[in-house]
Amino acid sequence: MALATAQDLESDSLLSLSQAKVGCDFQIKLLKGPACDQLRKLGFCESLQVRKLADGRNLICSVCGTRLALSRELASQVMVAVA
Amino acid sequence: MSGSLETVALAGNPNAGKTTIFNALTGSNQQVGNYAGVTVERKSGEFFTPHGKKLRLVDLPGCYSLDGGSPDQQIARKVLLGELEGEERPDLVVSVVDGSALERHLQLTLEVIETGLPVVVALNMVDVAESTGIRIDVQKLSEELGVPVVPMQANAGKGLLDLKQAMRHPFPVPAKADWTPEERQKRVLRICETAARRRDSYSATLTDRVDAVLLHPIFGWGFFLAIMFCLFWTIFAIADIPIGWIEGGTEVVAEWVSAKMPEGDLRSLIVDGVVNGIGGGVLVFLPQIVMLFFLIGLLESSGYMARAAYLMDGIMAKFRLSGRSFLPVLSSFACAIPGVMATRTIDSPKERLATIFVAPWMSCSARIPVYLTLVPLLFTDMTSVQKTLIFIGIYLTGLITALIVARLLRGRMGEDKVPNHFLLELPPYRAPQWGYIFRHVLGRAGAFLKNAGTIILAICIILWALSTYPKTDSEDPAEVLAHSAMGRISHVVEPLVKPLGFDGRTGTAILTSFAAREVFVTSMTQLFHVEESEDEDETLTNLQNTLSAATWPNGDKMFTLPALLALLVFYIYALQCLPTSAVVAREAGSWKWAAGQFLFMSGFAWVAAFIVFQVTKLFL
């Protein structure tokens, strides 16, 4: 219970990748949502660096040197903090 | 299948360079096939180690993980666990990873190690990794993973010999997987922390700068439309030249056979059935198919195709498809067969089925001769601009109907059990890999010749037989034809096509086109007893003259504007291609789906042609 509360508090202080500003570097802090496993397999793992390159219906970001285009719905499940 | 040869499997994420390594190792000594009962293409080949040991290499489908549900991932997992029927469990796995994206690619390597098989890691694209400031300690990486690691730059042929050395006997012992699946990700990060340090600061690459233009919300669309325009213009403008050569070659061969053989049924069969069938019905489509696939290969290899899918996602979403459906749809403009096969990259099973269902509505190259025969009959003295506009209208009619039907179909299918989100890797822009492109084009052209060619040839021979037998003593060609099986069939067909404005002869030509549309012009030439000339263009002009002069028994003109429009609409919509139905049955995993598609599209074509004829008749 304590762990869950700590996690909730942490996620409250974060912003999702869909909310993040284009051109900025972020660190992935938490994956929150039903597509977590899918995102992890594609390299969206906690503690990795991510840069948002373009916004829109689908946004583009760079993770570990790879450009990935992903839907806003997926991006909203990636919680990040400014690196 | 594999005999006594030991098997090496190549596993890795998409865009890791697996195919480049596969081609470099096996050279031309490779086979492409399909795993029985499933939908994923298999490639295998043979090569020798530096010690002269012959090994068999299997290229597994690119995947991000072994425990996913997509057909690609299932195949990879089943092969590695020895659970796939007809494929022996590999003796060694080469896990191909992109050195510049280790954090992402090592996850699959750990999963492969967990299978308990001996593993060699091919650390590809070390040049890219170095240029982006990543320092990889290969020795450390090898120690951490417990398997040999070979640094490579596969596209330049560097490291291939080292990789072959690493595959020598005895194979490395399987590494111990002392982590649980839950710990896998942390393990990857720890390995990267110790063996591959990434520069913290991000510096914009050339790809970023190019993407800023090509994916720009406004300019990006300008480039996209310009690229698509160039693609179709090139196909139509340049393909005419080799088509002329093929037509000329067919005439030469037909003349040569005619001169060498005595007159009779056998000569007629070989010249009219076989030579004209192969030359005029099969080979003549090859230039456009080859050209479209060459250009698509160029766009794919350079990295633009993924951008096109990204741009198109918004439009496709309005029809409840995604950007991933764009490539199958584009490929279908050349031929629906590779288009249907290209749907394999679509994750959502329902979207995949919807795309397979509507792909044959794109106007493929087999419809072009039909359009070329009918369009000049629609309006006499047309300018080239008018002709082009009509052609664009025809293409758009097919495309727009397909998208609307896809939307309705997706609406009826409901949502996927597992939600599928748009997620696409945008590879860096690269110089085209010519070897890959030429192999890709050769493979596609070969598949067309094998799949479509054999059926079209068979139809041409059957057509010849139907219009030749049973024979009559009469010398009048019209009577000969009326007496033949084809002439009799046309009487049976007539009531079905009369509401569309056609007579029994046109109905028979439509009927023969149900196996392959390419035979429409040949059938019409035979049924309307058009004088065939040595020059194909002259034959076409003769056919057009005959058709515009054709009348009903009461003296009314037969090919009126409403009838021609109805015929065009029928050819836009009807699924008249047996090879496509066969491929759809295989890809959709059910003959029912293929039969349903065939019946729906044929019924749709009939109703659409009926409406067009009956409505336009009132006004024109």
Side-chain angles (χ1 to χ4, degrees):
Chain A
M1 184 64 194
L3 185 68
T5 313
Q7 211 174 52
D8 289 345
L9 273 175
E10 192 189 347
S11 77
D12 277 350
S13 61
L14 301 173
L15 69 161
S16 75
L17 194 56
S18 55
Q19 298 165 319
K21 205 175 158 197
V22 173
C24 296
D25 290 318
F26 301 93
Q27 190 179 34
I28 300 170
K29 291 287 184 187
L30 191 70
L31 299 179
K32 205 173 100 174
C36 286
D37 283 347
Q38 198 187 353
L39 286 163
R40 280 208 178 87
K41 278 168 201 156
L42 282 148
F44 287 91
C45 303
E46 284 89 347
S47 83
L48 286 190
Q49 297 276 330
V50 57
R51 168 175 270 226
K52 191 166 169 180
L53 297 170
D55 216 341
R57 195 188 119 79
N58 295 309
L59 46 93
I60 302 175
C61 59
S62 170
V63 190
C64 309
T66 312
R67 258 161 301 274
L68 289 165
L70 71 163
S71 67
R72 289 197 76 79
E73 204 180 340
L74 274 183
S76 64
Q77 297 177 31
V78 182
M79 308 306 287
V80 294
V82 177
Chain B
M1 181 168 31
S2 57
S4 59
L5 284 184
E6 283 178 297
T7 302
V8 176
L10 270 180
N13 288 26
N15 298 316
K18 264 178 333 93
T19 307
T20 314
I21 293 178
F22 178 84
N23 290 337
L25 284 174
T26 59
S28 57
N29 190 12
Q30 49 182 270
Q31 301 158 335
V32 177
N34 277 82
Y35 286 110
V38 289
T39 56
V40 180
E41 202 170 65
R42 170 193 60 178
K43 274 206 295 186
S44 70
E46 287 165 6
F47 71 101
F48 287 93
T49 66
H51 301 79
K53 171 99 183 152
K54 198 175 181 183
L55 294 173
R56 179 170 165 264
L57 189 66
V58 178
D59 192 10
L60 297 182
C63 56
Y64 295 103
S65 165
L66 294 180
D67 57 6
S70 82
D72 285 7
Q73 290 167 352
Q74 283 175 11
I75 288 297
R77 186 182 61 236
K78 281 186 179 171
V79 171
L80 292 179
L81 296 178
E83 290 172 355
L84 193 76
E85 213 176 309
E87 183 69 64
E88 283 172 29
R89 196 177 188 207
D91 301 283
L92 174 76
V93 184
V94 174
S95 177
V96 185
V97 297
D98 176 353
S100 65
L102 270 185
E103 296 92 333
R104 298 182 52 240
H105 286 212
L106 278 183
Q107 303 240 22
L108 181 67
T109 304
L110 294 198
E111 286 187 50
V112 174
I113 290 173
E114 287 167 29
T115 62
L117 287 167
V119 176
V120 170
V121 171
L123 182 65
N124 197 18
M125 303 189 204
V126 281
D127 54 321
V128 182
E130 274 172 26
S131 67
T132 47
I134 304 168
R135 297 273 163 267
I136 304 176
D137 184 338
V138 177
Q139 181 67 35
K140 199 92 187 153
L141 188 61
S142 174
E143 283 170 14
E144 289 285 340
L145 291 168
V147 300
V149 176
V150 183
M152 297 189 72
Q153 191 187 334
N155 58 359
K158 290 181 187 168
L160 276 175
L161 197 62
D162 295 332
L163 182 64
K164 282 187 179 180
Q165 289 279 10
M167 287 190 259
R168 73 180 182 272
H169 266 268
F171 288 145
V173 279
K176 201 175 158 213
D178 54 353
W179 58 84
T180 62
E182 294 75 33
E183 291 167 349
R184 209 182 284 142
Q185 182 200 335
K186 280 185 186 153
R187 181 77 178 208
V188 168
L189 293 178
R190 207 194 78 197
I191 294 171
C192 291
E193 190 64 28
T194 34
R197 295 308 301 263
R198 184 178 285 278
R199 201 163 50 199
D200 284 342
S201 63
Y202 183 91
S203 54
T205 59
L206 178 66
T207 297
D208 289 332
R209 288 193 287 272
V210 177
D211 269 349
V213 181
L214 292 186
L215 296 181
H216 187 273
I218 298 162
F219 304 129
W221 278 104
F223 278 103
F224 173 81
L225 292 175
I227 289 169
M228 289 302 129
F229 176 82
C230 288
L231 188 119
F232 282 101
W233 179 83
T234 312
I235 291 163
F236 287 110
I238 299 180
D240 262 356
I241 303 165
I243 287 173
W245 297 339
I246 291 168
E247 286 173 351
T250 308
E251 281 162 29
V252 170
V253 174
E255 273 171 34
W256 184 80
V257 175
S258 299
K260 291 280 171 192
M261 288 183 77
E263 202 179 324
D265 280 1
L266 186 62
R267 188 178 88 173
S268 170
L269 168 68
I270 292 175
V271 174
D272 301 327
V274 180
V275 177
N276 284 328
I278 293 175
V282 180
L283 292 179
V284 83
F285 300 105
L286 211 52
Q288 274 171 335
I289 288 174
V290 163
M291 207 153 277
L292 185 65
F293 283 113
F294 172 75
L295 295 172
I296 286 177
L298 206 64
L299 292 178
E300 267 192 289
S301 179
S302 64
Y304 185 75
M305 201 47 94
R307 272 78 184 174
Y310 168 81
L311 281 172
M312 282 299 288
D313 185 62
I315 292 180
M316 300 299 257
K318 296 202 188 328
F319 301 96
R320 301 198 59 183
L321 299 174
S322 76
R324 286 183 181 275
S325 299
F326 174 68
L327 180 61
V329 166
L330 183 67
S331 300
S332 299
F333 278 110
C335 178
I337 295 169
V340 168
M341 283 160 72
T343 58
R344 289 170 185 175
T345 55
I346 300 171
D347 296 322
S348 154
K350 288 179 179 170
E351 183 186 334
R352 188 164 175 251
L353 278 177
T355 312
I356 289 176
F357 196 82
V358 299
W361 261 331
M362 303 311 129
S363 275
C364 67
S365 53
R367 287 172 169 111
I368 294 170
V370 183
Y371 298 155
L372 284 177
T373 312
L374 299 180
V375 169
L377 288 172
L378 279 171
F379 308 100
T380 43
D381 302 327
M382 265 193 308
T383 62
S384 58
V385 176
Q386 283 171 318
K387 246 190 229 175
T388 312
L389 286 175
I390 292 176
F391 261 80
I392 291 172
I394 289 170
Y395 275 72
L396 283 179
T397 308
L399 176 68
I400 292 167
T401 315
L403 291 175
I404 292 170
V405 170
R407 195 185 190 300
L408 295 173
L409 198 63
R410 284 290 281 123
R412 284 186 70 85
M413 282 172 158
E415 294 302 320
D416 282 301
K417 280 182 193 152
V418 181
N420 281 283
H421 307 281
F422 183 75
L423 220 161
L424 191 68
E425 191 171 329
L426 303 176
Y429 291 104
R430 295 193 185 109
Q433 292 170 274
W434 299 108
Y436 162 77
I437 295 174
F438 287 121
R439 277 197 194 92
H440 172 80
V441 171
L442 272 179
R444 295 300 191 206
F448 167 77
L449 286 179
K450 202 173 136 203
N451 289 329
T454 44
I455 287 186
I456 295 165
L457 178 63
I459 296 301
C460 288
I461 294 172
I462 292 168
L463 267 179
W464 168 86
L466 287 176
S467 57
T468 309
Y469 301 103
K471 291 196 161 194
T472 168
D473 296 332
S474 169
E475 291 289 313
D476 180 13
E479 270 182 46
V480 171
L481 192 64
H483 189 77
S484 71
M486 185 105 86
R488 294 171 199 201
I489 289 170
S490 76
H491 283 291
V492 180
V493 172
E494 189 157 305
L496 195 67
V497 293
K498 214 164 179 183
L500 315 182
F502 320 138
D503 74 334
R505 289 172 294 180
T506 312
T508 312
I510 291 175
L511 197 69
T512 57
S513 319
F514 268 98
R517 300 174 187 92
E518 289 88 333
V519 290
F520 173 78
V521 176
T522 320
S523 304
M524 288 295 271
T525 310
Q526 288 181 7
L527 288 157
F528 280 84
H529 187 55
V530 174
E531 196 183 323
E532 286 194 61
S533 163
E534 284 177 8
D535 182 10
E536 294 270 339
D537 290 339
E538 209 177 303
T539 307
L540 195 62
T541 315
N542 288 345
L543 175 64
Q544 283 162 353
N545 291 339
T546 310
L547 294 186
S548 51
T551 53
W552 290 97
N554 64 4
D556 287 350
K557 196 170 182 267
M558 188 179 284
F559 289 94
T560 55
L561 204 52
L564 286 167
L565 283 174
L567 197 51
L568 262 186
V569 165
F570 190 89
Y571 271 88
I572 291 171
Y573 289 137
L575 173 53
Q576 298 166 301
C577 185
L578 280 183
T580 300
S581 290
V583 172
V584 166
R586 193 183 63 190
E587 295 295 313
S590 144
W591 270 102
K592 276 186 200 161
W593 190 260
Q597 179 187 38
F598 176 80
L599 291 176
F600 176 78
M601 288 180 73
S602 305
F604 191 98
W606 192 92
V607 172
F610 176 79
I611 293 170
V612 166
F613 178 68
Q614 298 297 340
V615 173
T616 50
K617 204 169 65 167
L618 299 174
F619 301 101
L620 297 171

